[in-house]
Amino acid sequence: MRVRVLYFARSREVAGAPEEALDLPPGATTSSLLDDLRSRHPGLAGVLTSCVVAVNHEYVAAGEAAELREGDEVAIIPPLSGG
Amino acid sequence: MEAENARLRAEVEALRARLRALEAAGASADAPRQQPDGSSCTAAAAAGAAAPAAAGARPSRAPPAGFVSPHGLTKPQAERYSRQLLLPAFGPAAQARLCAASALIVGCGGLGAPAALYLAAAGIGRLGLADHDAVEISNLHRQIIHSEARAGAHKAASAAAAVAALNSSVALDVHTEGLTPANAADLVRRYDLVIDASDNAPTRYLLSDAAAATGTPLVSAAAVGTDGQLTVYCLGEDGPCYRCLFPEPPAPGNCARCADAGVLGPVPGVMGVLQALEAVKILAGVGKPLSRQLLLFDALSGRFTTIKLRARAPDCAACGGGGGAAAAGDAAGGTGAQAEGPAGGACCSGRGSGSDARAPRGRMRPEDVAAFDYAAFTGQAAHDGAPPPLRVLPPDQRLAAAELRDRLAAAGLGGGDDRDGAANGASSSGSGGSGDSGGAAGCVLIDVRPTAQFGVMSLPGAVNLPFDSPERFRERHVASVLALASCGAGCAALAAGAAARDGGASGYGGAASATGSSGAAGAAPRGAAARAAAEQAAAEQQRPVYVVCRRGNHSQLAVQELRAAGLREVFDLAGGMEAWAAEVDPAMPVL
């Protein structure tokens, strides 16, 4: 199945793109997706320790393994602190 | 809804009629607001001559017979805010609530500037302005509340001057000491609502904890680069706090600051205006606040995205467990439907007096906030300014700016005095024209600042090898430097490999940039053979290496790495490019 990963702020810099489409095996979850992202973009490991993950515009708690479906949009949202 | 609209229209109509009658009679019902005491200092005192006293100087008069505002609004208030009063979704009752309400703005920078101006313009009763920083010229592209004339002034006082000039009826508290763990809870509880317009992670945690510990709604926004975020924390029974969303602080390296990463001026402007809007909604009790929703703004695509958040986390270190309100939220089933109605009425019960007893929302209490070490928790200082100077190199491994200028000139790398000539020499993609670290020069000049800073200005002939961390510098760049150092003057082959791989010449003086790992990889084969080659290169050092950065901190760490790899003739520029600009080349911009 195919999902879209949207990168915001620092994660966009590290991933080098605002979004990417990934093919995941059936049964993939947010947790397994984050593992995938860490190995695709090693620099993301540090970013993912503190960020909001949202599936289809809805928050998913850290450590939660929410099941993903074809066409899902997963947003990676690290905190900004500037102002 | 229909009935409410009709009622409001009737009220407005009545108000208009009274105003017309008053105007016809030539009556003046000026009744300026009294400025409540209890502030650190008043706008007039802080802002000096800039704070107009016109309205306040007029004698207070009781409204003449015939004018009776059902909402307690005076004639000047009704006239001034008439466009809001006429708005069915707002109206005189909401305006009266706003005029009686107070807000604390923490941070008078890019977010706080528009937030303060719009809240004052809308007629908030009392504003607290907290910032310990001073106005700098580099602030002015986004911090539009300040001015060139007030450069060097306290930001809180400068903001107060602008607010007083805009709306003299707003009572102002100026807090130039900023927010600290010791004063946060006391400061926050004096206001109906807090606005987080700060610029650093420790202050964001501190403010959220203080809001949770005092039960104060927190309108929080942030902006860096071209990204903005906004949400309302600690609102109502089930609104989450900052820690619910981000229980772990971001690593310092992943927490971009405007001073390093840059920010497009209107981006914090947009977010600060939205903060004012959320504050107005909450304080006046209209609309639906952005609680349990995270608004994201991507300026480059012009897109706003809203993420639905959950209720506060039962295991949150600040607002979980403990407090009665949290228990009630848990009992409601966790998924607790979000309060649909306006939350303003409840939160404004203090009416700006700041003396209402609000309870902690969870397990964190004011005394816990005062005792918490936010700098240790986040690994960052609670300001956006310069980090403290490092002292890791002995003095004989550091050069003053003038000394480096002389050495560069002697080695054929023109200093600030003849930048044009050197720039011309180095502008051929770093491919070893006259005076280039990679090629002909008798020394190697390494600039370890981020590529974006290097791109704005750099010394002629410098090679850009950015320093992120000792590990990454070791992994990516040390071998390149060793290769450059062991390659004698006139060796042009490496210039193309190590210096110009990632974009060639760039910068103020015309220099080379090798930012990606590809640059290092090109000159640095990996493995045991690479280590042997590196040792050999270090032993055969033919050219001295000079390392510069912005302030002289990262350059010391880079020199440490290079010395650990075997180089002996390697020095850093004490005080960095800032010292160079101050002592050698005043024409060099300081970023």
Side-chain angles (χ1 to χ4, degrees):
Chain A
M1 73 181 154
R2 209 161 169 77
V3 301
R4 260 173 80 206
V5 182
L6 310 179
Y7 296 107
F8 288 87
R10 175 72 180 158
S11 67
R12 183 170 51 216
E13 290 169 32
V14 175
E19 62 174 87
E20 62 183 331
L22 294 182
D23 279 316
L24 302 179
T29 64
T30 47
S31 165
S32 70
L33 170 66
L34 295 186
D35 288 338
D36 281 358
L37 295 182
R38 283 186 198 96
S39 47
R40 290 175 70 86
H41 310 284
L44 271 186
V47 180
L48 293 176
T49 57
S50 175
C51 78
V52 162
V53 175
V55 178
N56 300 329
H57 296 215
E58 207 155 323
Y59 175 87
V60 175
E64 193 175 324
E67 198 169 327
L68 293 172
R69 285 185 217 122
E70 169 74 28
D72 276 353
E73 234 180 49
V74 183
I76 307 293
I77 308 157
L80 295 177
S81 68
Chain B
M1 193 64 178
E2 271 308 313
E4 173 74 357
N5 286 350
R7 190 180 64 77
L8 290 175
R9 272 191 221 103
E11 282 175 4
V12 169
E13 211 33 62
L15 213 56
R16 278 199 190 129
R18 283 171 187 152
L19 283 172
R20 279 195 297 271
L22 282 171
E23 280 161 359
S28 162
D30 254 359
R33 292 176 55 80
Q34 294 296 307
Q35 306 223 340
D37 284 324
S39 51
S40 301
C41 70
T42 65
R58 279 186 237 162
S60 179
R61 268 207 250 161
F67 178 79
V68 182
S69 162
H71 303 285
L73 294 174
T74 63
K75 170 183 162 74
Q77 286 175 329
E79 289 176 347
R80 177 169 196 134
Y81 307 121
S82 62
R83 300 304 186 269
Q84 291 170 182
L85 302 184
L86 297 174
L87 190 66
F90 200 76
Q95 183 67 56
R97 285 193 289 269
L98 184 60
C99 286
S102 62
L104 172 67
I105 299 181
V106 177
C108 300
L111 297 164
L117 289 172
Y118 268 103
L119 278 174
I124 193 166
R126 185 165 61 100
L127 260 190
L129 299 164
D131 202 313
H132 66 273
D133 234 343
V135 177
E136 294 176 25
I137 293 296
S138 68
N139 298 149
L140 297 182
H141 83 291
R142 66 190 190 283
Q143 302 179 16
I144 55 170
I145 202 167
H146 308 302
S147 65
E148 289 178 12
R150 294 199 292 267
H154 271 297
K155 281 188 184 176
S158 167
V163 166
L166 174 62
N167 188 345
S168 59
S169 69
V170 177
L172 292 170
D173 313 329
V174 178
H175 304 287
T176 53
E177 75 281 13
L179 195 77
T180 66
N183 72 10
D186 276 345
L187 208 51
V188 164
R189 80 166 108 229
R190 285 192 237 161
Y191 298 86
D192 295 321
L193 173 147
V194 200
I195 289 190
D196 186 347
S198 69
D199 60 9
N200 63 83
T203 301
R204 290 186 179 278
Y205 281 99
L206 168 60
L207 198 47
S208 174
D209 288 352
T214 58
T216 310
L218 172 65
V219 180
S220 177
V224 173
T226 55
D227 282 294
Q229 297 177 349
L230 181 143
T231 187
V232 176
Y233 292 118
C234 301
L235 185 67
E237 284 297 306
D238 60 357
C241 78
Y242 192 61
R243 278 186 198 265
C244 294
L245 243 65
F246 303 108
E248 296 296 325
N254 285 324
C255 206
R257 311 176 322 147
C258 293
D260 292 331
V263 59
L264 201 57
V267 177
V270 165
M271 304 316 292
V273 170
L274 286 172
Q275 281 182 290
L277 180 58
E278 287 306 305
V280 165
K281 282 161 60 183
I282 294 168
L283 293 171
V286 302
K288 186 176 169 187
L290 268 172
S291 175
R292 293 183 57 186
Q293 292 179 81
L294 176 62
L295 182 72
L296 309 173
F297 176 47
D298 173 3
L300 288 186
S301 68
R303 253 195 311 241
F304 285 94
T305 309
T306 308
I307 303 294
K308 218 159 135 194
L309 301 176
R310 292 188 184 167
R312 59 179 153 147
D315 58 346
C316 172
C319 71
D330 293 346
T335 59
Q338 187 174 352
E340 294 293 328
C347 92
C348 293
S349 57
R351 284 285 181 264
S353 69
S355 59
D356 54 323
R358 284 179 296 227
R361 308 179 81 238
R363 55 173 63 93
M364 195 170 260
R365 289 164 191 285
E367 55 270 28
D368 303 322
V369 177
F372 194 85
D373 188 342
Y374 290 89
F377 176 61
T378 58
Q380 296 168 58
H383 60 73
D384 193 29
L390 282 182
R391 285 198 182 74
V392 299
L393 290 185
D396 64 349
Q397 293 175 18
R398 312 203 70 192
L399 301 177
E403 167 80 15
L404 178 62
R405 174 197 57 201
D406 295 345
R407 291 194 182 205
L408 292 178
L413 276 187
D417 294 340
D418 60 351
R419 185 167 49 232
D420 288 347
N424 291 338
S427 63
S428 54
S429 298
S431 58
S434 68
D436 187 289
S437 287
C443 68
V444 176
L445 179 59
I446 305 294
D447 187 328
V448 297
R449 291 174 302 152
T451 303
Q453 287 181 29
F454 183 82
V456 177
M457 62 90 166
S458 63
L459 293 176
V463 175
N464 184 215
L465 301 172
F467 182 98
D468 294 329
S469 68
E471 297 73 28
R472 282 166 70 88
F473 187 78
R474 197 179 309 146
E475 188 183 304
R476 299 175 124 199
H477 299 319
V478 164
S480 301
V481 181
L482 294 182
L484 285 168
S486 65
C487 165
C491 164
L494 270 161
R501 190 167 305 272
D502 229 12
S506 64
Y508 193 69
S513 170
T515 56
S517 54
S518 60
R526 304 199 183 277
R531 273 198 299 281
E535 282 166 21
Q536 178 79 6
E540 291 173 1
Q541 177 173 11
Q542 296 195 27
R543 299 195 289 174
V545 174
Y546 304 118
V547 183
V548 302
C549 67
R550 182 179 180 184
R551 299 188 178 94
N553 284 347
H554 281 168
S555 59
Q556 293 186 66
L557 301 174
V559 166
Q560 269 194 326
E561 291 302 315
L562 294 169
R563 287 194 174 255
L567 283 187
R568 282 180 190 80
E569 290 291 299
V570 52
F571 308 89
D572 93 311
L573 168 59
M577 296 305 292
E578 288 185 358
W580 182 275
E583 294 160 29
V584 170
D585 185 2
M588 176 76 79
V590 178
L591 301 187

